[in-house]
Amino acid sequence: NKINNLKTERTALTNNKMMRGEFQRDSLALFTQSLAFLNQQLNAIDAETLKLERDLKKAAAVHDRLYGRLTAVRNMISKNFPLNAQNNPSIPQVIVTVQSETPQTAAITLSYFVMQAGWTPSYDLAISKVSSNIELKHRAAVYQNTGIDWKDVQLTLSTGDPDQKNTRPVLSPFYLDFDKQETALNEVVVLRKSKSFQNNLSNTELESRASGVAISDGKFDTVSSDGVADYTRVGNNILRTEYEIKLKYAINADNKPHNVVIQNKSVPAIFTYFASPKLDPDVMLIARITDWESLNLTAGVARVYSDDAFIGETAINPQVAADTLQLNLGRDKSMVVTRTKIKDKSKEKILSDLKYTSKAYEILVRNTKNIPVRMAIEDQAPVTKQTDIKIDFTETGGALFNPATGKLIWDFTLKPKETRKLNFSYEVRYPKDKSLSNL
């Protein structure tokens, strides 16, 4: 109707005798003023008409979309064909009941919990050389399948899990009885299957996902991820840790992981090369981090990079860490460790009613690097609880020895291109009419 009215006004202007120069009392000044008035009015009419035509086009598009949805719903009801979820996605609705003692105008902020959202923590550990720092990048793979795409939202990542059962474990009486090993075994099996036992185990196992993603509208300038630590605020409350990220993110409802950088930090570390040649001939680089509690880490998988090259994965689990957090960074082939039995010192003999078995080993450690390294070597000797088995150490090679576990530990610094030999030996005495299967 508005467009038709503008067209009528335009026709009236252009057909006016004054505008057409047919007025009886015409003059050049009057004709010039008439043309200026006509030009002004026609421009205004055309601008308003164009605006109305654009609004009409938008309204027609909305109408066509709604009519298409109405047609699809009618067809679904009549069971002609099912509703296409891709072309006709559902529109979630929230119904809010408000009670007020007095009439008033108020703003309402709505927050709600959804099950189909969460995040998985992960890390990047970068080392350029065996120095004093590790570049640690804390990441989160955020996923959501709520049916609503999140556009330009600020995230708060929480280590809390609202879906976890908050039932306090209760111990039942643990009875012992004679000659009922099967009953006791069954009780242990039942205990291991119980929820309380699994909850106790959860703090020693690596969690794959940590739920709890809160979003809020907000505006923030986009910056590079290198400075993202400046835009993350870490909050600790009674039951959880929260990472408030003040950058805008778009997380589509596709249940796919979307990478979010939580923080970047340069972490001081003590690097040590470790080997247990009885089990594995390779040497591993280990980083030990003190004061790791201030990093607010969560359990997750860590990708390790050396000089921008990916060398493998390790695990970070602060829940089982003590005063020092230990990170296994990878194997280093430039460090060589070999373990051999010394044959002329390994022998058996029988004296009286006892059998004597001697074992001797040599561990060879070689540093092929051009820098000194700190080295830790572990090995072991047998231990026993049998009174008729005696174990005597004839040589420990300067190792720290734990008689309860039989573990031998060497901790030393190896110079560039240096080779060091570590020797240890022991003797076992036991009745000659008996045999030891695992010696």
Side-chain angles (χ1 to χ4, degrees):
N1 290 337
K2 290 182 179 179
I3 291 176
N4 290 334
N5 292 338
L6 291 174
K7 289 180 179 179
T8 301
E9 183 177 351
R10 181 187 181 92
T11 301
L13 282 171
T14 54
N15 291 334
N16 187 274
K17 292 184 178 181
M18 181 179 294
M19 303 301 138
R20 296 169 59 180
E22 298 175 356
F23 196 58
Q24 296 180 357
R25 298 174 56 186
D26 201 1
S27 65
L28 181 59
L30 183 60
F31 183 68
T32 302
Q33 293 177 3
S34 300
L35 288 179
F37 176 76
L38 178 63
N39 182 64
Q40 177 183 352
Q41 292 302 108
L42 290 180
N43 286 336
I45 291 173
D46 291 342
E48 183 66 19
T49 302
L50 180 61
K51 178 180 180 302
L52 291 173
E53 289 176 348
R54 288 177 176 174
D55 293 342
L56 184 60
K57 186 175 181 180
K58 293 178 181 178
V62 173
H63 176 273
D64 293 342
R65 187 177 71 252
L66 294 177
Y67 187 79
R69 286 182 59 84
L70 179 61
T71 302
V73 172
R74 286 173 175 171
N75 291 331
M76 181 188 67
I77 294 175
S78 62
K79 297 182 181 181
N80 290 338
F81 58 85
L83 185 65
N84 191 324
Q86 183 176 359
N87 298 330
N88 299 278
S90 61
I91 301 178
Q93 292 181 330
V94 178
I95 300 176
V96 182
T97 301
V98 180
Q99 180 177 353
S100 177
E101 295 181 356
T102 59
Q104 58 178 306
T105 301
I108 297 177
T109 301
L110 176 67
S111 62
Y112 56 95
F113 168 75
V114 292
M115 296 288 295
Q116 305 86 354
W119 65 286
T120 303
S122 64
Y123 300 88
D124 287 345
L125 303 177
I127 54 176
S128 58
K129 58 182 180 180
V130 182
S131 60
S132 59
N133 284 9
I134 292 179
E135 299 302 321
L136 185 146
K137 181 175 289 186
H138 192 177
R139 297 179 179 272
V142 180
Y143 63 93
Q144 64 103 351
N145 195 28
T146 63
I148 302 176
D149 292 339
W150 299 346
K151 302 296 184 182
D152 296 332
V153 297
Q154 293 174 212
L155 300 172
T156 298
L157 308 178
S158 172
T159 59
D161 186 358
D163 190 42
Q164 190 175 23
K165 304 300 182 183
N166 295 319
T167 304
R168 181 179 67 88
V170 179
L171 290 174
S172 300
F174 184 37
Y175 297 103
L176 292 180
D177 203 348
F178 292 106
D179 300 327
K180 292 183 179 180
Q181 297 180 1
E182 184 178 356
T183 303
L185 178 61
N186 291 336
E187 185 171 1
V188 173
V189 171
V190 172
L191 179 61
R192 289 183 178 274
K193 292 181 179 180
S194 67
K195 189 63 177 179
S196 62
F197 187 84
Q198 295 173 4
N199 289 341
N200 292 334
L201 279 183
S202 64
N203 60 1
T204 63
E205 296 174 346
L206 200 60
E207 295 182 359
S208 61
R209 284 189 174 184
S211 301
V213 179
I215 63 172
S216 60
D217 296 331
K219 296 181 179 179
F220 213 90
D221 295 333
T222 302
V223 299
S224 65
S225 62
D226 294 337
V228 74
D230 297 332
Y231 301 94
T232 301
R233 186 182 68 84
V234 180
N236 291 288
N237 56 30
I238 298 177
L239 297 176
R240 63 188 182 275
T241 300
E242 292 184 347
Y243 306 93
E244 182 181 348
I245 301 173
K246 297 183 179 299
L247 298 177
K248 294 191 302 181
Y249 281 92
I251 311 294
N252 293 331
D254 51 13
N255 208 31
K256 296 180 180 180
H258 299 264
N259 182 54
V260 174
V261 179
I262 298 177
Q263 58 182 344
N264 297 332
K265 287 191 176 182
S266 181
V267 182
I270 300 174
F271 292 89
T272 303
Y273 285 94
F274 171 84
S276 182
K278 181 181 180 180
L279 302 176
D280 194 332
D282 287 344
V283 179
M284 299 193 67
L285 178 60
I286 295 176
R288 292 183 172 90
I289 300 175
T290 59
D291 192 29
W292 58 269
E293 295 89 346
S294 61
L295 300 176
N296 295 293
L297 303 179
T298 54
V301 176
R303 294 173 290 271
V304 183
Y305 298 87
S306 177
D307 296 323
D308 298 329
F310 176 72
I311 60 175
E313 292 184 346
T314 186
I316 294 180
N317 191 3
Q319 296 177 344
V320 298
D323 295 338
T324 301
L325 178 65
Q326 179 174 294
L327 302 176
N328 302 323
L329 300 181
R331 303 172 184 266
D332 193 335
K333 298 296 183 179
S334 63
M335 300 294 298
V336 181
V337 175
T338 58
R339 181 182 189 265
T340 57
K341 181 189 290 186
I342 304 176
K343 293 183 178 180
D344 57 350
K345 293 184 179 182
S346 300
K347 50 189 176 181
E348 294 184 356
K349 61 182 180 180
I350 298 176
L351 295 176
S352 184
D353 295 332
L354 296 177
K355 180 183 289 188
Y356 294 79
T357 300
S358 300
K359 299 286 185 178
Y361 297 91
E362 180 183 85
I363 299 175
L364 190 67
V365 186
R366 185 165 71 250
N367 178 18
T368 65
K369 297 178 179 293
N370 296 321
I371 58 174
V373 298
R374 185 175 177 179
M375 196 75 204
I377 303 291
E378 284 189 1
D379 213 303
Q380 66 178 164
V383 293
T384 183
K385 294 182 179 180
Q386 300 293 334
T387 57
D388 53 354
I389 300 177
K390 304 295 182 182
I391 302 173
D392 297 324
F393 263 90
T394 55
E395 185 180 5
T396 61
L400 181 64
F401 175 64
N402 186 341
T405 62
K407 184 176 291 186
L408 295 155
I409 301 176
W410 291 269
D411 192 347
F412 54 90
T413 299
L414 207 59
K415 297 179 181 179
K417 308 299 182 180
E418 181 184 0
T419 300
R420 183 173 299 192
K421 294 180 180 180
L422 308 174
N423 295 326
F424 72 98
S425 58
Y426 56 89
E427 184 181 67
V428 181
R429 305 191 312 270
Y430 56 96
K432 67 177 182 179
D433 58 344
K434 296 182 179 180
S435 61
L436 301 177
S437 60
N438 58 344
L439 180 61

